[in-house]
Amino acid sequence: MEEWKVAGALVLGLACSGAWAADPNLGRNLAAGCAGCHGTDGNSVGGTASLAGMPRDRLLARIGEFRSGAKPATIMHQISKGYSDEQLALIADYFASRKPAGGER
Amino acid sequence: MSIGRREFMQGALGLSALAALHGCAATGKGRGHVVVVGGGFGGATAAKYIALWGGGIRVTLVERNAAFVSCPISNLVLAGEKQLSDITLGYEGLAKYGVTVVQDEVTAVDADRRLVRLARGGDLAWDRLVLSPGVDFLYDDLPGLQPVAARQAILHAWKAGPQTVALRRQLEAMPDGGVFALTIPKAPYRCPPGPYERASTVAWYLKQAKPRSKVLVLDANEDIVSKKGLFMKAWADHYKGIIEYRPQSELRDVDVAGRTAVLEFDKVKADVLNVVPPHRAGDIAVNAGLKLVNQRWVDIDWLTMEATGTPGVHVIGDAIFPAPTMPKSGHMANQHAKLAAAAIVNLLSGLPPPDAPLVMNTCYSFIDNISAVHVSSVHAWDPATRLVQPVKGAGGLSPAPTEAEGRFALSWAKNIWADMLT
C-alpha cells in the first residue's frame, strides 16, 4: 500500500506539473457512455445498431446527420450535441477498433 | 455504527480461509482487490467494468439477493403487460469477466482497516471499496407504517421484486370503481418520472379492466417533477376522468386499517394505497459514517466518485448527492460506475484518475402498455465547480409519446441490463 501511495504521489506530481500526456483511455471512457443503448463495446443485443467495428468515417457521418437534422432521430440528435468534435473522433476511433461479436444482432 | 477494532481483528483472524481466498492485494499478485457492495445498475456495472478494464485487478461483488430485478420496466409489470421474470436477471454472466459474486449482506465498513463485515460471518479485505447501496426508506415521520405488518399491507414497490408482484395482486383484486392512490415524496427521490409513469401504466390497466376506477396522485411536490408537459398531455388525451393529480399533498401518516392517506388538511381513503416513502442513501453508506449532504446523500468527488473525506471508498448510484440537474436513475448509476471503474483502474496502477469525466442520462417512461417518452441529458466536467454540469444545447424531451420510443425503451433496458450483467 505504501509503495502505491508513493508512486501515486509521484505521478500526481507529474500530472500537476503539466508533464502528463493526454489520457490514452479517453476514447474508451467516452464510448462507454454509449453502451447503455448500443451494448458493451458497441455490441448491441438488439433494437439499436451495433457500433463495434463501424468504420470511423461512417459513424462520424451518421452523427453529423443527426446533429444537422438531415437524418431524423428520436434521441441521437439530442445526445450527439453533448460531445465536441474531438470527443466524437475519439469515440469513433474506439468503436472502429472493436471486434463485432459474432451471431445475430 | 462503528465496529470495535478488536472485534474486527478477531473476525479477520478467524477467517483465514476467506483471507486466503481473497487475500490482501498489497502482498499478493495482481493489482489489488476491489470489493463492490450492491449488484444493481451501479454496482454490477462497476464490478464488470473494473474487471474488464483492470487487467489483473480482482473483483468481488457482494449482493444480498440471488438475482437482479430491474426497477425500470417494473411499471409494466404493474400494468400486467410484463411478468417479473421479464425484468429478473441472474449474476452468473459476471463470472466470465472474473468477477466473484458473493451472495451476502455487508453489515459494516471499516475504512481505516479496509475491511467489510459480512452478515454470514467474516470479513473481506479490499484495496478499494465501491458502495452502490441504492436507497433505504425513511419511515420516521410515518408512525402508521412503523410496524412491519403495516409495510406488508401498504406497499411501496419502489424497489422491484416481491413488492412489485404484491402490488399487482392488489390491483387485480381491486373492485371496478375503486381508487388507486399513489403518494410521491419530496424530490430528490429515485427515478423522478417514475411515479408519473406508474400513474399512467396503472391507469392504462384500469381503463381496460376496471374502467370506472380512479388513479389519485398525491404529490408532496409543488408540481410534476419530470416530463410535466408530456404527462399532462397524455393524461388529458387518454386518462381524462381516471387520473386526478393533486400537488402539494405531502403524506403525514397512514391509517393502515382504513387504507387512508393522512395529509395535512385532508384524509384520502383508497382501495389500493401505494406509498413511496421519502428516502436517503442506503443504510450501509449511512452506517459507514460517510459525509452526507442534507443528512441523506453521500457527498462525493466527481473525479473519482470517492466519498468526501473517506479516500478509498467510492460511492455510486442513487445514494450520492447528485450533480446539478442529475436525476437518480439506473442509467446514471451505470454511468457513475464507469467513472469509478476508470478512476479505480488508474489509481491501482499508480496513475491519476481521468481528468475530464463525462456522463449522459436517458429516462424512458411508458404512458400506456406500448408508447413511451424520454428525457435525456449530457453532463461534462467543469473544473471551476469541480462538478459535472449539464451541457447546454444537448439533451431534451420527446415531442410526444410514440410506439417507436416504446420499442427503443425496451431495447434500452435489454442493452443496459446486458451492459451490467452479461
Side-chain angles (χ1 to χ4, degrees), chain A residues 1-6, chain B residues 3-5 8-9 11-12 18-19 22-27 31-37 58 60 106 108-118 122-131 288 306-307 309-314 344 347-349:
Chain A
M1 226 57 261
E2 287 314 312
E3 293 146 82
W4 170 83
K5 273 187 188 145
V6 175
Chain B
I3 313 171
R5 172 163 292 213
F8 223 121
M9 281 180 68
L18 252 188
H22 295 284
C24 173
T27 57
R31 296 160 57 200
H33 182 218
V34 178
V35 172
V36 181
V37 180
R58 285 177 315 110
T60 304
V106 167
V109 173
D110 186 332
D112 294 334
R113 302 181 63 76
R114 305 202 163 206
L115 296 169
V116 291
R117 165 141 307 170
L118 299 176
D123 303 329
L124 283 179
W126 44 266
D127 296 301
R128 297 217 155 242
L129 178 67
V130 179
L131 297 179
E306 279 168 300
T310 314
V313 178
H314 304 252
I344 287 169
L347 290 164
L348 287 176
S349 314

Side-chain angles (χ1 to χ4, degrees), chain B residues 5-64:
Chain B
R5 172 163 292 213
R6 170 191 283 191
E7 189 198 336
F8 223 121
M9 281 180 68
Q10 281 171 346
L13 288 173
L15 263 170
S16 47
L18 252 188
L21 191 65
H22 295 284
C24 173
T27 57
K29 280 192 281 187
R31 296 160 57 200
H33 182 218
V34 178
V35 172
V36 181
V37 180
F41 280 92
T45 308
K48 169 173 158 178
Y49 274 80
I50 294 165
L52 189 64
W53 289 345
I57 296 175
R58 285 177 315 110
V59 183
T60 304
L61 173 64
V62 184
E63 162 58 46
R64 61 186 161 204

